[in-house]
Amino acid sequence: MQKIILLFHLAFLLITPKSESLLHNKILFVVSNQQTYGKSTLKTSNHFGEIVYAYDVFVKAGYKIDFVSPKGGSITFGYLNKTNPIQEKYLNNTKLLNKLKNTLSPEKVEVSNYKALYYVGGGAAMFGVPENKPIQKIAIKVYDENNGVISAVCHGIAGIVNLKTKGGNYLYNQKQVSGYPDIFENLTSEKYKTFPFSIEKLIKQRGGHFTYSNKRRDNYFVTDGRLVTGQDPSASASVAQEVIKLLQKNK
């Protein structure tokens, strides 16, 4: 009898696609390889807080996280706040740090394994990611084919500006979208002058309803369908929690 049960179990594993067991517990973080603001010598990086605040929520809920960048390999991170207990915790987390040193390149991503993307912000997010077509294809396949969730926070919203669904419309067309607004940007700074576009203006031009709080660090985020976006780092954990709610609802 035990042999029969074992054989039945093995047969079930063989006929059950691997992707089905992974779809509901794998999330892909999108990060940038950029190290300077545009072609300047001004240093930039991915926002560590925006990585770990969301990462912490997902991991505690049982989700597995992978990272993808345009070139793969190592990325830089910054905007550190060592007095924050979550940041301090993950600054010494070997597993996470190894993932950040060995991000996946787009061609190594098995799209069928993911039900959500999370675009990380920081100045680096403005470069390399928005125009990267392989990452765009990954995002749209997760959204359209996997019935997945797209999420982003702060300058990470730059990563979604060029996303078009199979129907040819921008993914955020006629949807509520948040992100880092122009009123909080230093429009005359040398850093901002390197930005290829204004997130707020481009989202609006392409049919998105850009919305934000007049207060910084206000945990402001919006959910519209399967799109979840946050204004700044303070919304990172909430964005992750919203993604989880949508994934559980769509199981």
Side-chain angles (χ1 to χ4, degrees):
M1 178 63 70
Q2 288 182 334
K3 288 183 177 179
I4 294 175
I5 294 174
L6 179 60
L7 288 172
F8 178 80
H9 180 66
L10 290 172
F12 178 78
L13 290 175
L14 288 172
I15 64 174
T16 302
K18 179 182 178 183
S19 60
E20 286 300 314
S21 64
L22 295 175
L23 272 174
H24 296 296
N25 72 343
K26 293 201 82 175
I27 295 169
L28 189 64
F29 277 39
V30 183
V31 289
S32 173
N33 302 105
Q34 191 76 12
Q35 297 185 27
T36 62
Y37 281 87
K39 295 180 180 180
S40 75
T41 58
L42 300 170
K43 299 295 184 182
T44 192
S45 60
N46 298 273
H47 197 293
F48 191 66
E50 291 174 16
I51 293 173
V52 298
Y53 301 150
Y55 185 90
D56 188 64
V57 171
F58 285 131
V59 169
K60 285 181 177 177
Y63 290 86
K64 297 178 181 178
I65 307 299
D66 289 327
F67 291 81
V68 64
S69 61
K71 299 177 182 178
S74 181
I75 64 163
T76 59
F77 57 83
Y79 307 89
L80 300 178
N81 178 3
K82 294 182 180 180
T83 64
N84 180 280
I86 296 178
Q87 288 201 34
E88 183 182 21
K89 169 186 174 181
Y90 284 105
L91 276 171
N92 298 308
N93 186 291
T94 302
K95 183 177 181 180
L96 173 61
L97 296 180
N98 283 338
K99 285 179 178 288
L100 299 182
K101 289 179 181 178
N102 299 281
T103 66
L104 299 171
S105 55
E107 64 270 15
K108 292 184 179 179
V109 172
E110 181 58 54
V111 181
S112 62
N113 288 346
Y114 302 95
K115 283 287 282 185
L117 263 70
Y118 172 75
Y119 286 82
V120 174
M126 296 297 300
F127 309 95
V129 173
E131 68 272 24
N132 188 275
K133 294 191 180 299
I135 292 179
Q136 291 174 31
K137 289 179 180 179
I138 291 170
I140 292 305
K141 282 185 177 181
V142 169
Y143 187 80
D144 278 339
E145 297 179 13
N146 297 358
N147 194 36
V149 179
I150 300 297
S151 64
V153 68
C154 203
H155 289 90
I157 308 301
I160 75 168
V161 297
N162 293 315
L163 296 184
K164 286 187 176 182
T165 63
K166 285 185 176 179
N169 294 318
Y170 286 103
L171 181 144
Y172 50 84
N173 184 46
Q174 300 304 308
K175 291 183 180 293
Q176 298 288 320
V177 185
S178 188
Y180 204 69
D182 285 343
I183 62 167
F184 295 147
E185 297 279 15
N186 183 352
L187 303 180
T188 61
S189 72
E190 292 304 311
K191 292 179 179 179
Y192 184 81
K193 289 177 182 178
T194 68
F195 283 5
F197 53 83
S198 156
I199 294 173
E200 178 178 348
K201 289 178 181 176
L202 196 54
I203 292 287
K204 288 178 177 178
Q205 287 171 6
R206 293 178 172 177
H209 301 302
F210 194 86
T211 178
Y212 56 89
S213 169
N214 288 320
K215 295 180 180 178
R216 297 175 187 263
R217 308 279 175 169
D218 198 29
N219 187 28
Y220 186 85
F221 64 93
V222 291
T223 301
D224 197 332
R226 288 179 288 119
L227 177 63
V228 187
T229 50
Q231 177 173 303
D232 58 41
S234 67
S236 300
S238 294
V239 167
Q241 290 163 359
E242 286 294 298
V243 170
I244 291 171
K245 288 180 184 177
L246 289 172
L247 294 181
Q248 291 176 340
K249 179 180 178 181
N250 293 336
K251 270 189 178 182

